[in-house]
Amino acid sequence: DGEQSLSRSMVNSSDKISRKSGSSVFQHSVERWKINSSLVLEIRKNILRFLDAERDISVVKSSFKPGDVIHYVLDRRRTLNISRDLHSLLPEVSPMKNRRFKTCAVVGNSGILLDSGCGKEIDSHEFVIRCNLAPVVEFAADVGTKSDFITMNPSVVQKAFGGFRNESDREKFVHRLSMLNDSVLWIPAFMVKGGEKHVEWVNALILKNKLKVRTAYPSLRLIHAVRGYWLTNKVYIKRPSTGLLMYTLATRFCDEIHLYGFWPFPKDINGKPVKYHYYDDLKYRYFSNASPHRMPLEFKTLNMLHNRGALKLTTGKCI
Ligand code: CTP
């Protein structure tokens, strides 16, 4: 019944979502939550039909040589040159090869984390995945500090590090990366044109400062494969958000996946405002057609998977 019922529930998950806050729809039981190991295995197997996260999580050195020209994944008419720096930072083998974990945390960036007290719990997981180089130190009590794998859209350079205009922006960035030690820094560099100079600056800083961080750059097929998996299961997402991408990849490596910081709604279940990000004042129009994502729909799907024991979603306080 497994595969069929998964697909059936996912159909229901594409129902319209209340625009007020999404609240009561998403009440989910925390005490009664129990992992459904056979469903976890089945989801892993089904996703493997579309992608192998171990491989697709990064291109490797032997995929390219310096000077190669590739087409952007979401903007096929435009091209990118594989520079010498970029090539030198490609991993020899997948940074996730043969890595398996009992429990993992995937940490989204919603303001719902503020005052959650979830830091300790997040850090207690064997492997912690974070998104977009989100700051942690100042928010440690709520978000923890452990970061084994962290993503970085090229636009982060502009949004959080002043476009590297000043020496102090560059220093702040180098400091942030040095805190990661030898964790994986995952940079979607081949998605759309626009961020190539940022990626080059980042690469140059990593090389110049001999940072230990292990760079990874998603394969050219990853995003289409992830989207294909969800669409085939009748979850009509647009471009998968980083958070959904991370959950999808984590199913390959992690037996138990715990999600925190996923709450793509402007209010909490009591009607109290929730910031888009726990660390800045950026605004986001969750239901706008202009958005590249359908985060509320993604959330509804993840919530359904929580209720079925495939993953654990935490949107409240950690005790
Ligand atoms: N997220 C969420 N609710 C929020 C903010 C973020 O559920 N209020 C989740 C999303 O899955 C998102 C992830 O946390 O992809 C990381 O957040 P962020 O860095 O803000 O992602 P974006 O830059 O908005 O989007 P993306 O990188 O996915 O394009």
Side-chain angles (χ1 to χ4, degrees):
D1 126 278
E3 191 175 333
Q4 261 192 346
S5 63
L6 183 66
S7 178
R8 216 179 304 129
S9 325
M10 287 195 184
V11 177
N12 297 336
S13 79
S14 62
D15 293 343
K16 274 262 177 297
I17 294 166
S18 148
R19 276 163 198 256
K20 272 197 228 135
S21 75
S23 54
S24 56
V25 191
F26 299 129
Q27 299 268 3
H28 54 247
S29 157
V30 179
E31 289 84 33
R32 280 188 301 113
W33 185 87
K34 207 170 144 276
I35 187 92
N36 178 344
S37 299
S38 56
L39 182 57
V40 166
L41 290 178
E42 192 180 305
I43 291 174
R44 179 180 296 157
K45 198 177 84 197
N46 285 335
I47 292 178
L48 267 165
R49 297 203 181 123
F50 290 80
L51 62 134
D52 179 353
E54 218 179 52
R55 179 195 64 206
D56 292 314
I57 208 154
S58 184
V59 293
V60 291
K61 249 194 187 55
S62 57
S63 324
F64 302 117
K65 48 186 188 326
D68 277 355
V69 174
I70 61 169
H71 289 263
Y72 282 100
V73 171
L74 301 172
D75 192 359
R76 299 275 314 148
R77 283 169 309 168
R78 300 183 188 255
T79 57
L80 167 78
N81 281 303
I82 303 290
S83 70
R84 226 162 253 292
D85 277 2
L86 177 56
H87 189 260
S88 74
L89 286 170
L90 299 182
E92 301 276 352
V93 293
S94 166
M96 295 307 289
K97 195 172 168 54
N98 296 329
R99 301 188 71 184
R100 299 292 179 269
F101 311 99
K102 285 217 165 53
T103 74
C104 296
V106 178
V107 188
N109 285 333
S110 166
I112 200 79
L113 278 167
L114 292 171
D115 236 12
S116 69
C118 286
K120 273 212 183 83
E121 185 180 311
I122 291 174
D123 282 353
S124 73
H125 293 288
E126 208 181 333
F127 193 73
V128 178
I129 301 173
R130 297 184 192 268
C131 302
N132 281 320
L133 220 52
V136 287
V137 177
E138 314 88 291
F139 306 95
D142 293 328
V143 311
T145 55
K146 188 172 175 190
S147 312
D148 299 292
F149 188 107
I150 192 156
T151 75
M152 192 199 112
N153 289 344
S155 59
V156 164
V157 171
Q158 200 63 47
K159 287 185 192 153
F161 296 92
F164 290 161
R165 266 183 295 278
N166 305 315
E167 184 57 27
S168 64
D169 296 325
R170 295 189 286 273
E171 273 168 16
K172 190 174 135 202
F173 181 78
V174 169
H175 177 69
R176 181 74 186 88
L177 291 202
S178 64
M179 279 173 19
L180 295 172
N181 295 312
D182 60 352
S183 299
V184 178
L185 177 66
W186 188 83
I187 309 176
F190 313 133
M191 294 301 155
V192 284
K193 196 172 171 66
E196 62 280 13
K197 67 172 191 295
H198 294 140
V199 174
E200 280 307 312
W201 293 341
V202 168
N203 292 342
L205 285 175
I206 293 172
L207 290 167
K208 184 174 151 222
N209 293 281
K210 299 195 170 57
L211 297 172
K212 283 193 296 187
V213 75
R214 291 191 286 154
T215 40
Y217 306 83
S219 82
L220 303 177
R221 57 189 299 284
L222 176 73
I223 199 154
H224 294 306
V226 169
R227 186 161 178 266
Y229 167 74
W230 292 104
L231 293 186
T232 304
N233 282 287
K234 302 194 169 52
V235 181
Y236 298 112
I237 56 167
K238 285 160 94 179
R239 194 201 298 176
S241 74
T242 302
L244 185 71
L245 265 175
M246 290 301 120
Y247 162 69
T248 313
L249 294 174
T251 60
R252 178 80 166 99
F253 314 111
C254 309
D255 292 339
E256 212 175 286
I257 302 175
H258 294 240
L259 306 186
Y260 304 85
F262 285 68
W263 187 260
F265 308 103
K267 291 182 181 159
D268 70 10
I269 51 168
N270 303 312
K272 212 175 122 222
V274 176
K275 291 172 74 181
Y276 172 54
H277 282 159
Y278 66 83
Y279 51 87
D280 65 23
D281 292 321
L282 218 73
K283 301 274 180 283
Y284 194 88
R285 287 158 63 214
Y286 299 108
F287 293 95
S288 160
N289 282 332
S291 154
H293 307 302
R294 285 206 172 132
M295 285 194 203
L297 169 64
E298 291 183 0
F299 182 88
K300 197 171 180 184
T301 307
L302 294 170
N303 191 59
M304 179 275 293
L305 290 169
H306 166 99
N307 290 332
R308 302 191 57 205
L311 56 83
K312 186 163 186 234
L313 188 56
T314 296
T315 55
K317 290 193 194 300
C318 293
I319 333 126

